Amino acid sequence: MCSNTQERATRPHEPGRVCRDLLYSRSKQPNRVVPAFTYQALQKNTVVRPPPRIDIFKRRPVRETVFKIYFSRGDIPCVLAGRSNKQDPTKDRPLRWTCVPEELDYCYYLPIFVDGLADMDSDTRLLAINGAIDLIMRSPKKVLPVLPKLILPLKRAFQTRDKRIIISALQVVQLMVRLGPCVGQALVPFYRQLLAVCNIYKNINVNLGEGIDPDRSKRIGDVIEDTLKLLEYCGGPNAFINIKYMVPTYESSVFPRCEMPKPS
């Protein structure tokens, strides 16, 4: 204790300064990041770790497809012979078959070709697309019996979240619905497996302003819109309500909502 009052007043207050420095240094310490919904979150100087950010448009590539495995060991009975004509898919595909395609077992080979749509290698995917389209165009009546086996490969192609792969898979679906008898109605129970990704990419288009791009096959939003219209047109009376369940923003093109009043 200081006996002199003047000396006590001029002496610096060390305990108070040490306390302030301690509080300041403690405020500058980084907080511990702890997981949520644990007892650690109730402790002092802790910050709850935020949930991970999910990118719904992030690509999810497939490691290896069944088509690539079969192609690497020489079990695919076709090879590429030239360039494909993307403008007119009804023309002959640039394939050279080692056997008659109509005599192939569609229940065995068509799911393998459709599975190749999800391959990340462009050359392998091009062979799979051309082979699947060629098989569908040569024998459309054989598509309906093998349709349940095509749902899982198509779903795997949609789940890659790659726009090029999704567009290719949608074009194959359009071709099956157009050419295959009763394929559109048979696809109605499988809308929940196929149309989930379409709801995400439906409104993605390129704003061209006053420009016009006649090639709709490269814009995923337009391809999805054309596919949904075709599915509704060929799917029967229950198609629209099932499409609306998976894609709420879709409006019917077969039964428009606003109709002209009939003249009295």
Side-chain angles (χ1 to χ4, degrees):
M1 296 292 294
C2 296
S3 58
N4 191 356
T5 308
Q6 186 178 2
E7 183 182 355
R8 190 189 309 172
T10 58
R11 184 180 178 183
H13 189 57
E14 293 182 359
R17 185 171 58 185
V18 172
C19 183
R20 288 194 300 271
D21 293 343
L22 180 62
L23 292 176
Y24 180 77
S25 61
R26 185 177 297 177
S27 64
K28 293 299 181 180
Q29 289 180 355
N31 296 326
R32 276 190 309 121
V33 180
V34 297
F37 306 107
T38 59
Y39 285 106
Q40 297 178 356
L42 302 177
Q43 299 175 354
K44 296 182 179 180
N45 298 328
T46 58
V47 176
V48 178
R49 183 183 295 113
R53 185 177 180 181
I54 301 176
D55 188 5
I56 60 175
F57 300 108
K58 183 180 179 181
R59 295 181 181 181
R60 304 174 184 176
V62 179
R63 293 183 179 180
E64 193 173 20
T65 59
V66 178
F67 179 82
K68 192 168 186 177
I69 296 174
Y70 278 64
F71 180 73
S72 61
R73 67 188 189 188
D75 291 343
I76 300 300
C78 66
V79 293
L80 286 174
R83 296 182 178 179
S84 61
N85 190 350
K86 297 182 180 180
Q87 300 296 332
D88 190 2
T90 59
K91 293 185 178 180
D92 294 337
R93 313 304 299 175
L95 296 177
R96 185 173 68 250
W97 294 90
T98 58
C99 61
V100 181
E102 291 82 354
E103 297 179 357
L104 291 174
D105 185 7
Y106 272 53
C107 293
Y108 180 78
Y109 280 101
L110 188 56
I112 295 176
F113 277 96
V114 176
D115 184 78
L117 300 177
D119 201 291
M120 301 306 297
D121 187 11
S122 58
D123 295 334
T124 306
R125 186 171 65 250
L126 180 62
L127 178 61
I129 294 172
N130 294 335
I133 292 177
D134 199 8
L135 289 176
I136 294 171
M137 294 183 63
R138 288 177 181 270
S139 295
K141 60 183 180 180
K142 295 183 179 180
V143 176
L144 184 61
V146 75
L147 187 62
K149 295 184 178 181
L150 303 179
I151 302 303
L152 189 59
L154 288 173
K155 182 180 179 181
R156 190 182 296 113
F158 289 140
Q159 290 299 329
T160 57
R161 305 295 174 91
D162 192 333
K163 294 182 180 180
R164 298 170 300 175
I165 296 177
I166 295 176
I167 289 175
S168 302
L170 289 174
Q171 291 174 350
V172 172
V173 172
Q174 291 180 13
L175 192 64
M176 288 193 302
V177 173
R178 285 196 187 99
L179 301 182
C182 301
V183 173
Q185 298 179 6
L187 275 176
V188 174
F190 303 106
Y191 284 172
R192 296 191 179 187
Q193 285 79 21
L194 299 179
L195 300 185
V197 179
C198 296
N199 187 30
I200 301 175
Y201 289 91
K202 180 177 180 297
N203 296 324
I204 295 182
N205 271 324
V206 180
N207 188 4
L208 300 177
E210 298 179 355
I212 297 176
D213 186 7
D215 190 6
R216 294 173 60 90
S217 62
K218 294 182 180 179
R219 301 192 297 270
I220 187 170
D222 294 336
V223 176
I224 291 175
E225 187 71 23
D226 296 341
T227 305
L228 296 179
K229 289 180 180 179
L230 185 62
L231 291 176
E232 182 191 1
Y233 184 77
C234 301
N238 297 325
F240 173 69
I241 189 172
N242 286 275
I243 295 175
K244 190 72 173 179
Y245 180 80
M246 297 304 300
V247 188
T249 57
Y250 175 73
E251 293 296 336
S252 176
S253 60
V254 179
F255 302 101
R257 191 172 183 179
C258 298
E259 298 180 354
M260 294 295 295
K262 296 181 181 181
S264 57

